[in-house]
Amino acid sequence: MKRSILITGGAGFIGSHVVRLFVRKYPDYRIVNLDKLTYAGNLANLSDIEQAPNYTFVRGDICDLELMRELFRRYAIDGVIHLAAESHVDRSIHDPFTFARTNVMGTLTLLQAAREAWENAWEGKLFYHISTDEVYGALPASGGLFSETTRYDPHSPYSASKASSDHFVRACHDTYGMPTVVTNCSNNYGPYQFPEKLIPLFINNIRHRRPLPVYGRGENVRDWLYVEDHARAIDLIFHRGHPGETYNIGGFNEWRNIDLVRLLVRTVDRMLGNPEGYSEELITFVTDRPGHDLRYAIDSSKLHRELGWEPSLQFEEGIERTVRWYLDHQEWMDNITSGEYEKYYEAMYGGR
Ligand code: NAD
Ligand code: DAU
């Protein structure tokens, strides 16, 4: 094997796209997917590659130092792509401790295992930490973009935990000389996203004619990037990024939530053969998310300038593909919303 890479959180949304890309593109790499299979982890996301000879799945918790040590030893890991995290802002408001445990302590545990395995032999190693634009806080509606030097200003327990993990990763670079890279990415969308997040939740609600709960007045702005474009950026940065660096990844694609929701309504209605405007009445303005950041927008020109990356997909095309995928994969969605996939884990792993 040319390389042996530990990908954490590979059964989740973005992680499953990264695992699939690496397993298919690099048959001479060993890809070890370590995932705890929390409510957000779903092995059905990887059913098309689970038999690949260069792929291994390990169920486990990044907070388990002994297990992390064992994985570095058993598989002679020389690269880490760390995606495992609690990822949903609304959940973090109700349960901040779980976020601190996994996102902060889990990342620190993984760093510790990497340091023990690699110290004094840093050459050819890389710890790549996947983070979010939410660490930068909020931008005014009037303009501005987050750059790699924007001061950290997290507002939710989720973004505070991710900010803390970013600092620990950089501290390991600066203190021990560990080769690390951090990337901060904007909102991802596409297949296999857990239906607590805006886009899959609303597509499914339109299909079932359920209310579409828009927080506040729907004026918050997010910068959306197709998940496969994120996975391509991760591949590029893993291989050609400079240790010690941070790269922002974004779509230069800002949408007010309400405009995005109207686009989803139009697209789903058209694909289901409903009359135009049929599902508009489902839009329901509800109490705003506490601490709701007004606007995120990423300047990813450094990544473009230094490594030549740019998003490949226009948003309208990405949304077409995404809506089509969810409508064509109703079983995947129904298994999650009915709890069916939990039974699968119970049978395989004795539950969660
Ligand atoms: P997700 O919630 O879909 O998946 C997270 C995965 O991590 C799940 O498979 C889960 O089982 C696993 N996991 C959780 N706790 C674990 C633990 N203690 N040990 C091992 N595995 C554990 O998340 P996602 O949306 O795919 O996000 C992946 C990463 O990308 C996260 O670090 C997130 O902060 C970051 N990110 C996400 C977005 C986005 O728009 N979704 C944007 C930028 C950055
Ligand atoms: O910016 C990157 C971040 O994007 C990632 O770090 C997070 O892991 C990811 O979950 C995402 O965070 P958001 O909070 O932006 O995503 P979410 O899909 O939850 O919400 C998108 C926007 O839609 C946000 O402004 C809140 C709003 N919203 C969301 C839901 C679930 C609603 O108005 N109603 C809803 O029901």
Side-chain angles (χ1 to χ4, degrees):
M1 288 286 170
K2 215 163 147 195
R3 306 245 4 211
S4 190
I5 302 173
L6 177 64
I7 299 181
T8 69
F13 166 46
I14 302 171
S16 63
H17 289 273
V18 176
V19 166
R20 180 176 298 100
L21 175 68
F22 273 69
V23 164
R24 287 195 176 146
K25 188 169 172 187
Y26 302 108
D28 51 353
Y29 288 10
R30 178 194 286 129
I31 304 301
V32 181
N33 171 15
L34 179 275
D35 199 294
K36 183 179 178 183
L37 300 181
T38 67
Y39 78 93
N42 185 354
L43 288 179
N45 298 356
L46 291 165
S47 53
D48 53 338
I49 57 99
E50 67 189 358
Q51 300 300 337
N54 61 338
Y55 172 70
T56 303
F57 174 71
V58 178
R59 188 183 192 192
D61 188 332
I62 52 167
C63 299
D64 181 346
L65 181 58
E66 274 315 311
L67 175 64
M68 297 306 107
R69 285 177 173 143
E70 164 64 16
L71 293 182
F72 275 84
R73 267 196 307 269
R74 193 189 320 155
Y75 296 109
I77 299 297
D78 59 22
V80 174
I81 303 178
H82 174 39
L83 296 114
E86 290 291 338
S87 67
H88 191 42
V89 174
D90 292 332
R91 284 180 191 258
S92 80
I93 295 166
H94 296 287
D95 180 17
F97 280 91
T98 302
F99 283 68
R101 180 185 178 279
T102 286
N103 299 359
V104 184
M105 290 308 293
T107 301
L108 187 53
T109 303
L110 199 55
L111 285 163
Q112 175 68 21
R115 183 157 73 88
E116 290 176 11
W118 297 344
E119 200 150 31
N120 305 319
W122 298 119
E123 187 67 30
K125 313 294 195 302
L126 184 68
F127 189 106
Y128 179 176
H129 176 61
I130 307 298
S131 191
T132 169
D133 59 359
E134 300 205 8
V135 299
Y136 297 124
L139 290 163
S142 53
L145 296 172
F146 296 133
S147 81
E148 287 79 1
T149 54
T150 300
R151 196 172 70 87
Y152 273 33
D153 184 21
H155 296 146
S156 72
Y158 164 69
S159 53
S161 68
K162 291 296 291 187
S164 171
S165 63
D166 294 7
H167 291 317
F168 273 110
V169 174
R170 290 199 192 91
C172 280
H173 173 268
D174 297 348
T175 305
Y176 310 111
M178 182 184 293
T180 62
V181 167
V182 177
T183 54
N184 297 85
C185 188
S186 63
N187 285 60
N188 284 217
Y189 72 100
Y192 300 113
Q193 186 167 31
F194 195 85
E196 63 190 349
K197 308 281 166 51
L198 180 80
I199 290 182
L201 175 71
F202 279 32
I203 294 171
N204 197 42
N205 282 10
I206 298 168
R207 179 183 147 230
H208 289 289
R209 293 206 61 70
R210 292 193 197 118
L212 307 176
V214 175
Y215 298 159
R217 301 300 306 160
E219 278 158 4
N220 302 69
V221 173
R222 295 291 181 266
D223 170 5
W224 294 92
L225 178 69
Y226 194 65
V227 61
E228 288 179 6
D229 277 331
H230 189 190
R232 271 196 313 112
I234 290 172
D235 177 21
L236 184 67
I237 292 163
F238 180 79
H239 289 97
R240 296 196 17 229
H242 298 292
E245 288 291 324
T246 290
Y247 301 90
N248 280 351
I249 309 173
F252 286 111
N253 177 42
E254 292 181 49
W255 282 74
R256 281 196 319 158
N257 288 343
I258 187 64
D259 298 330
L260 169 56
V261 170
R262 293 209 168 102
L263 173 65
L264 288 174
V265 166
R266 277 198 305 279
T267 311
V268 178
D269 273 343
R270 177 167 43 75
M271 288 188 188
L272 291 179
N274 295 332
E276 204 180 317
Y278 180 66
S279 299
E280 281 270 334
E281 67 184 35
L282 300 176
I283 297 175
T284 313
F285 294 100
V286 300
T287 308
D288 209 353
R289 173 187 277 176
H292 197 176
D293 288 330
L294 179 60
R295 177 172 161 258
Y296 302 144
I298 274 274
D299 177 0
S300 53
S301 57
K302 173 177 172 183
L303 182 56
H304 179 65
R305 206 174 45 248
E306 295 189 6
L307 300 180
W309 177 89
E310 57 189 7
S312 69
L313 211 60
Q314 289 297 313
F315 190 57
E316 282 76 0
E317 193 193 334
I319 285 292
E320 286 276 319
R321 264 197 215 180
T322 302
V323 171
R324 172 56 57 214
W325 190 88
Y326 284 102
L327 295 181
D328 286 349
H329 291 77
Q330 290 181 6
E331 203 183 323
W332 179 91
M333 179 66 85
D334 294 345
N335 276 346
I336 292 176
T337 52
S338 71
E340 195 58 39
Y341 85 125
E342 299 276 352
K343 289 185 199 147
Y344 171 73
Y345 292 122
E346 228 164 81
M348 271 183 77
Y349 298 105
R352 287 166 195 272

